[in-house]
Amino acid sequence: MPAPRDANIQKVMTAQRNRDTAPELALRRALHALGFRYRVDLPIPGMPRRRADVTFTRWRTAVFVQGCFWHACPTHQHAPKHNSDWWRRKFDTNVRRDEETDAHLVLLGWLPLRIWEHESVDGAVRRVTAALATRGHPLALRLDARDVDT
Protein backbone atom coordinates (compact mmCIF):
# COMPACT_ATOMS: atom_id res chain seq x y z
CA MET A 1 0.00 0.00 0.00
CA PRO A 2 1.52 3.36 -0.94
CA ALA A 3 2.17 5.88 1.81
CA PRO A 4 -0.60 8.40 2.46
CA ARG A 5 -0.25 11.73 0.69
CA ASP A 6 -1.20 13.70 3.77
CA ALA A 7 1.39 14.10 6.56
CA ASN A 8 -1.41 14.22 9.18
CA ILE A 9 -2.59 10.76 8.16
CA GLN A 10 0.94 9.48 8.63
CA LYS A 11 1.02 10.96 12.16
CA VAL A 12 -2.35 9.43 13.07
CA MET A 13 -1.32 6.00 11.83
CA THR A 14 2.05 6.12 13.57
CA ALA A 15 0.45 7.16 16.88
CA GLN A 16 -2.21 4.43 16.71
CA ARG A 17 -1.74 1.83 19.44
CA ASN A 18 -1.15 -1.73 18.27
CA ARG A 19 -1.91 -3.27 21.63
CA ASP A 20 -3.30 -2.44 25.05
CA THR A 21 -6.17 -0.36 23.70
CA ALA A 22 -8.96 0.52 26.13
CA PRO A 23 -11.42 -2.10 24.72
CA GLU A 24 -8.70 -4.76 24.75
CA LEU A 25 -7.68 -3.97 28.34
CA ALA A 26 -11.31 -4.02 29.48
CA LEU A 27 -11.84 -7.45 27.93
CA ARG A 28 -8.61 -8.82 29.39
CA ARG A 29 -9.45 -7.50 32.88
CA ALA A 30 -12.92 -9.06 32.77
CA LEU A 31 -11.61 -12.42 31.55
CA HIS A 32 -8.85 -12.41 34.17
CA ALA A 33 -11.32 -11.57 36.93
CA LEU A 34 -13.29 -14.69 35.98
CA GLY A 35 -10.14 -16.79 36.31
CA PHE A 36 -9.09 -17.11 32.68
CA ARG A 37 -5.40 -17.10 31.85
CA TYR A 38 -4.19 -16.26 28.37
CA ARG A 39 -1.30 -14.95 26.31
CA VAL A 40 -1.22 -11.35 25.07
CA ASP A 41 -0.02 -10.10 21.68
CA LEU A 42 1.02 -13.55 20.48
CA PRO A 43 2.37 -13.83 16.90
CA ILE A 44 0.28 -15.80 14.41
CA PRO A 45 2.30 -18.86 13.31
CA GLY A 46 3.44 -18.55 9.71
CA MET A 47 2.19 -15.00 9.31
CA PRO A 48 4.84 -12.34 9.90
CA ARG A 49 3.70 -9.08 11.51
CA ARG A 50 0.31 -10.47 12.55
CA ARG A 51 -0.58 -10.94 16.16
CA ALA A 52 -3.61 -11.98 18.21
CA ASP A 53 -4.68 -9.68 21.02
CA VAL A 54 -5.69 -12.47 23.43
CA THR A 55 -4.71 -16.09 22.84
CA PHE A 56 -5.76 -19.27 24.58
CA THR A 57 -3.01 -21.51 23.23
CA ARG A 58 -4.10 -24.83 24.73
CA TRP A 59 -7.59 -24.36 23.31
CA ARG A 60 -6.32 -22.90 20.04
CA THR A 61 -8.47 -19.79 20.24
CA ALA A 62 -7.26 -16.39 19.05
CA VAL A 63 -9.22 -13.27 19.99
CA PHE A 64 -8.84 -10.02 18.07
CA VAL A 65 -10.29 -6.79 19.48
CA GLN A 66 -10.95 -4.63 16.45
CA GLY A 67 -11.37 -0.90 16.21
CA CYS A 68 -14.46 0.16 14.29
CA PHE A 69 -12.58 2.77 12.26
CA TRP A 70 -9.51 0.77 11.21
CA HIS A 71 -11.29 -2.51 10.48
CA ALA A 72 -14.34 -1.07 8.65
CA CYS A 73 -17.02 -2.01 11.16
CA PRO A 74 -20.27 -2.60 9.25
CA THR A 75 -22.17 -0.70 11.96
CA HIS A 76 -19.86 2.27 12.52
CA GLN A 77 -17.75 2.55 9.40
CA HIS A 78 -16.72 6.14 8.80
CA ALA A 79 -14.78 6.90 5.65
CA PRO A 80 -12.95 10.22 5.72
CA LYS A 81 -13.81 12.55 2.85
CA HIS A 82 -10.26 13.89 2.47
CA ASN A 83 -8.07 11.49 0.47
CA SER A 84 -11.06 9.11 0.27
CA ASP A 85 -9.62 6.80 -2.39
CA TRP A 86 -6.55 6.11 -0.30
CA TRP A 87 -8.67 5.46 2.80
CA ARG A 88 -11.00 3.11 0.90
CA ARG A 89 -8.00 1.07 -0.27
CA LYS A 90 -6.57 1.10 3.26
CA PHE A 91 -9.80 -0.20 4.80
CA ASP A 92 -10.22 -2.83 2.05
CA THR A 93 -6.65 -4.00 2.67
CA ASN A 94 -7.28 -4.24 6.43
CA VAL A 95 -10.48 -6.25 5.94
CA ARG A 96 -8.77 -8.57 3.44
CA ARG A 97 -5.83 -9.07 5.85
CA ASP A 98 -8.25 -9.96 8.68
CA GLU A 99 -10.00 -12.50 6.43
CA GLU A 100 -6.66 -14.03 5.39
CA THR A 101 -5.58 -14.29 9.01
CA ASP A 102 -8.83 -16.00 10.01
CA ALA A 103 -8.60 -18.45 7.10
CA HIS A 104 -4.97 -19.26 7.99
CA LEU A 105 -5.87 -19.88 11.64
CA VAL A 106 -8.77 -22.15 10.67
CA LEU A 107 -6.41 -24.18 8.45
CA LEU A 108 -4.14 -24.61 11.48
CA GLY A 109 -7.10 -25.83 13.56
CA TRP A 110 -7.52 -22.60 15.51
CA LEU A 111 -10.71 -20.69 16.25
CA PRO A 112 -10.42 -16.98 15.39
CA LEU A 113 -12.81 -14.68 17.22
CA ARG A 114 -13.33 -11.03 16.25
CA ILE A 115 -14.65 -8.65 18.90
CA TRP A 116 -15.64 -5.10 17.88
CA GLU A 117 -14.64 -2.23 20.13
CA HIS A 118 -18.28 -1.11 20.35
CA GLU A 119 -19.40 -4.40 21.92
CA SER A 120 -20.11 -4.33 25.62
CA VAL A 121 -17.50 -5.97 27.80
CA ASP A 122 -20.11 -8.38 29.18
CA GLY A 123 -21.19 -9.33 25.67
CA ALA A 124 -17.60 -9.82 24.55
CA VAL A 125 -16.84 -11.97 27.60
CA ARG A 126 -19.92 -14.09 26.88
CA ARG A 127 -18.77 -14.57 23.27
CA VAL A 128 -15.24 -15.54 24.32
CA THR A 129 -16.54 -17.87 27.03
CA ALA A 130 -18.97 -19.54 24.63
CA ALA A 131 -16.21 -20.00 22.05
CA LEU A 132 -13.89 -21.50 24.65
CA ALA A 133 -16.66 -23.82 25.86
CA THR A 134 -16.94 -25.26 22.35
CA ARG A 135 -13.19 -26.02 22.58
CA GLY A 136 -13.57 -27.80 25.94
CA HIS A 137 -12.08 -25.16 28.25
CA PRO A 138 -13.09 -26.36 31.74
CA LEU A 139 -13.69 -22.92 33.25
CA ALA A 140 -15.70 -21.85 30.21
CA LEU A 141 -17.76 -25.03 30.43
CA ARG A 142 -18.53 -24.34 34.12
CA LEU A 143 -19.47 -20.73 33.41
CA ASP A 144 -21.54 -21.78 30.40
CA ALA A 145 -23.41 -24.36 32.51
CA ARG A 146 -24.02 -21.74 35.21
CA ASP A 147 -25.52 -19.36 32.61
CA VAL A 148 -27.83 -22.11 31.37
CA ASP A 149 -28.97 -22.95 34.91
CA THR A 150 -29.93 -19.38 35.77
Side-chain angles (χ1 to χ4, degrees), residues 3-142:
R5 292 182 297 186
D6 189 327
N8 287 334
I9 293 172
Q10 192 86 32
K11 285 181 188 175
V12 167
M13 290 177 63
T14 302
Q16 185 65 32
R17 295 187 74 117
N18 291 347
R19 60 177 283 187
D20 299 336
T21 63
E24 182 185 332
L25 289 173
L27 176 62
R28 286 179 7 209
R29 280 187 201 107
L31 289 168
H32 195 271
L34 288 172
F36 287 100
R37 300 302 178 257
Y38 44 80
R39 303 272 311 269
V40 175
D41 198 39
L42 195 69
I44 304 296
M47 299 193 97
R49 299 184 62 213
R50 297 189 197 182
R51 306 175 85 77
D53 297 318
V54 177
T55 308
F56 299 88
T57 53
R58 185 171 177 190
W59 293 276
R60 294 179 163 246
T61 303
V63 180
F64 302 88
V65 181
Q66 305 202 134
C68 291
F69 178 76
W70 294 105
H71 295 272
C73 169
T75 306
H76 301 110
Q77 185 174 13
H78 164 70
K81 292 189 184 348
H82 179 70
N83 206 4
S84 61
D85 288 339
W86 185 87
W87 279 109
R88 184 180 36 75
R89 286 193 309 274
K90 174 67 179 159
F91 295 145
D92 290 348
T93 300
N94 290 353
V95 170
R96 194 169 39 256
R97 185 179 58 240
D98 293 342
E99 291 168 351
E100 289 170 1
T101 302
D102 288 355
H104 179 76
L105 284 167
V106 169
L107 283 174
L108 295 176
W110 283 67
L111 176 65
L113 184 60
R114 301 277 171 176
I115 305 289
W116 289 105
E117 71 176 333
H118 67 259
E119 291 184 53
S120 72
V121 174
D122 290 341
V125 167
R126 277 194 297 277
R127 287 187 54 210
V128 172
T129 303
L132 289 170
T134 68
R135 308 294 276 194
H137 191 294
L139 177 55
L141 289 168
R142 282 197 308 275

